[in-house]
């Protein structure tokens, strides 16, 4: 795990970014992919966005960074974390904090995993292979998107780290079944069914720039990015009937959906608004979490994603009922700036911040983080 000293300021982070650029980005038929492989000196994850903008083609950066429409939900995912106040417990004599957790039987170094994201090739020449390596070295789990630029088999072999497969259901049921079976065979340990997206995210900025996916970076699992245009609970039944792997429903924002899902045999709930990339105007993910976790009542693990940028954000999400959080854009920025090592650096920073937060708040391990640590 890479830890950096306090004197490593933005200038150093900027230097790493410049170096990545100087190392002749690979030009994949006109799309200039960064190729740099280096440990990053990160002051905080928020800084990474501006650094990534310097090394990524404008269209690719817009696709990754933007949200839908007016980006209200994108902004609120971050702002909502800032509205939550912590309640530390002092003079409690705790040992140095331990951040390990076990999720679906897999031990992770910290309660943060890589969220499913399509098209990592937009960020770096190593694409999902780099993300898989960096995530595994950090000691945590990667969710691999149906819309990956590398095949799910190649990503599975890129690292020995635990992986889940995120499913965009295909209109042709046979094709969906095939994807699930391929994931089982390649050793994925869970299926994440995303219920809130019917097309790749569309943003005004990407549209203004006339961004489209470079044909040289195909969707390796399916050929083109395809989605079933309408989803129902029968689709959940279909996945349950097709596989014995744990099924996690991603895109849950309300307690009634969580309740129905558990009744239907779903094994995990991922509270998410897709990083503000789909329906603009929905609630911030962290604001949706308490009611969903309240309905779940510990029956299945709850994962939350959207706007996690700080160790304090991880702490707040756990305190409000999440078993783990998933990290989106900062992982792709780390990948863009430093390849697999950049991804590892992102996790190193978050881990260090989480340890510092737990130390000051007075919690010795993740299980101790509870409602009593937030106002
Ligand atoms: C995503 N997300 C996403 N989700 C999913 O289920 N399947 C996918 O293929 C994608 N693709 C995707 C691409 C890009 C570029 C981004 C940024 C996001 C959503 C992702 O899993 C997650 O919900 C958010 O990214 C979390 O928010 P933050 O951490 O980016 O704020």
């Amino acid at each position: 795990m890479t830890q950096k000293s306090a004197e490593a300021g933005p200038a150093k982070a900027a230097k790493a970014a410049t170096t990545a650029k100087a190392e002749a980005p690979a030009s994949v038929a006109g799309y200039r992919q960064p190729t740099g492989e280096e440990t990053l000196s990160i002051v905080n994850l928020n800084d990474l966005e501006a650094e990534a903008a310097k090394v990524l083609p404008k269209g690719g950066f817009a696709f990754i960074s933007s949200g839908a429409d007016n980006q209200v939900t994108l902004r609120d995912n971050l702002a909502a974390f800032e509205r939550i106040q912590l309640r530390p417990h002092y003079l409690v004599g705790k040992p140095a904090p331990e951040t390990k957790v076990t999720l679906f039987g897999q031990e992770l170094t910290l309660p943060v995993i890589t969220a499913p994201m399509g098209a990592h090739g937009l960020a770096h020449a190593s694409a999902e292979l780099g993300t898989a390596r960096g995530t595994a070295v950090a000691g945590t789990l990667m969710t691999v998107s149906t819309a990956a630029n590398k095949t799910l088999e190649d990503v599975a072999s890129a690292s020995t780290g635990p992986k889940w497969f995120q499913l965009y259901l295909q209109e042709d049921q046979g094709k969906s079944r095939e994807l699930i079976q391929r994931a089982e065979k390649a050793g994925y340990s869970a299926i994440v069914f995303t219920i809130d997206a019917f097309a790749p995210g569309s943003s005004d900025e990407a549209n203004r720039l006339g961004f489209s996916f470079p044909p040289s970076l195909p969707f390796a699992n399916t050929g083109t990015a395809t989605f079933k245009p309408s989803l129902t609970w029968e689709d959940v039944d279909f996945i349950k009937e097709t596989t014995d792997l744990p099924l996690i429903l991603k895109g849950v924002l309300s307690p009634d959906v969580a309740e129905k899902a558990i009744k239907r045999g779903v094994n995990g709930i991922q509270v998410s608004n897709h990083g503000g990339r789909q329906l603009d105007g929905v609630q911030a993910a962290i604001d949706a979490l308490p009611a969903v976790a309240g309905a779940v009542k510990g029956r299945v693990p709850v994962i939350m994603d959207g706007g996690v940028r700080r160790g304090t954000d991880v702490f707040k999400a756990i305190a409000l009922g999440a078993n783990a959080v998933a990290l989106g854009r900062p992982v792709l920025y780390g990948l863009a700036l430093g390849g697999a090592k950049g991804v590892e650096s992102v996790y190193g920073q978050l881990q260090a911040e989480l340890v510092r937060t737990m130390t000051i708040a007075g919690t010795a391990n993740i299980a101790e983080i509870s409602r009593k640590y937030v106002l």
Side-chain angles (χ1 to χ4, degrees):
M1 187 78 42
T2 312
Q3 306 293 351
K4 294 127 284 56
S5 59
E7 83 270 354
K12 191 139 181 240
K15 188 167 158 274
T18 316
T19 318
K21 193 175 190 177
E23 279 170 21
S27 183
V28 184
Y31 189 87
R32 286 159 54 86
Q33 293 171 300
T35 55
E37 290 284 349
E38 63 187 305
T39 299
L40 305 173
S41 292
I42 299 173
V43 171
N44 67 60
L45 268 49
N46 295 308
D47 288 353
L48 293 176
E49 185 160 283
E51 297 305 324
K54 295 179 193 164
V55 300
L56 289 174
K58 278 194 168 56
F61 175 74
F63 176 74
I64 294 168
S65 60
S66 304
D69 300 354
N70 288 350
Q71 308 190 110
V72 174
T73 297
L74 175 79
R75 286 190 298 274
D76 206 37
N77 273 350
L78 302 170
F81 269 114
E82 300 196 349
R83 291 193 292 263
I84 296 164
Q85 294 180 305
L86 291 173
R87 191 210 307 259
H89 291 237
Y90 297 135
L91 298 170
V92 288
K94 296 285 177 172
E98 172 58 69
T99 61
K100 268 191 216 137
V101 285
T102 302
L103 196 57
F104 291 102
Q106 271 154 341
E107 190 176 279
L108 310 176
T109 301
L110 73 172
V112 187
I113 64 174
T114 296
M117 291 177 285
H120 293 205
L122 293 174
H124 194 266
S126 66
E128 288 80 10
L129 309 184
T131 311
R133 290 185 197 118
T135 302
V137 175
T140 191
L141 180 149
M142 172 168 176
T143 319
V144 179
S145 168
T146 295
N149 288 135
K150 303 285 183 186
T151 64
L152 64 90
E153 290 83 2
D154 284 350
V155 189
S157 351
S159 76
T160 54
K163 291 178 197 77
W164 294 345
F165 181 69
Q166 178 268 327
L167 180 68
Y168 277 137
L169 213 61
Q170 307 294 297
E171 189 150 26
D172 175 345
Q173 206 172 64
K175 286 192 176 150
S176 299
R177 187 176 294 114
E178 204 178 295
L179 280 171
I180 295 167
Q181 288 168 348
R182 280 173 60 192
E184 282 180 339
K185 199 165 161 222
Y188 287 79
S189 56
I191 300 292
V192 178
F193 175 32
T194 299
I195 61 171
D196 61 3
F198 302 89
S202 147
S203 86
D204 289 0
E205 184 59 11
N207 293 341
R208 248 177 240 124
L209 292 165
F211 173 77
S212 59
F213 292 105
S216 53
L217 291 175
F219 297 99
N221 291 313
T222 51
T224 49
T226 44
F227 299 78
K228 187 166 186 276
S230 151
L231 301 171
T232 70
W233 285 104
E234 280 70 45
D235 292 314
V236 173
D237 297 341
F238 159 72
I239 301 170
K240 283 300 294 177
E241 285 155 16
T242 306
T243 183
D244 289 332
L245 290 177
L247 173 61
I248 298 152
L249 212 58
K250 175 172 182 280
V252 175
L253 291 171
S254 65
D256 59 305
V257 170
E259 181 62 42
K260 273 194 197 129
I262 294 172
K263 289 225 173 84
R264 220 109 181 170
V266 164
N267 311 92
I269 298 291
Q270 191 151 344
V271 175
S272 172
N273 55 34
H274 216 106
R277 302 169 66 81
Q278 290 291 331
L279 187 59
D280 192 32
V282 299
Q283 198 178 17
I286 190 65
D287 284 343
L289 173 65
V292 173
V296 171
K297 292 193 199 75
R299 287 174 288 174
V300 299
V302 175
I303 296 127
M304 175 270 161
D305 75 63
V308 174
R309 301 292 180 268
R310 285 283 189 182
T312 49
D313 297 338
V314 179
F315 187 96
K316 287 169 182 176
I318 306 281
L320 291 170
N323 296 78
V325 300
L327 196 58
R329 294 175 182 85
V331 171
L332 287 186
Y333 299 149
L335 183 71
L337 293 164
K341 285 193 177 138
V343 172
E344 189 194 344
S345 304
V346 165
Y347 276 106
Q349 173 65 20
L350 208 49
Q351 160 91 355
E353 289 187 17
L354 178 59
V355 166
R356 178 159 53 84
T357 303
M358 290 171 71
T359 304
I360 308 173
T363 52
N365 54 54
I366 300 298
E368 277 188 15
I369 305 174
S370 69
R371 244 349 227 268
K372 70 179 197 187
Y373 294 91
V374 287
L375 288 177

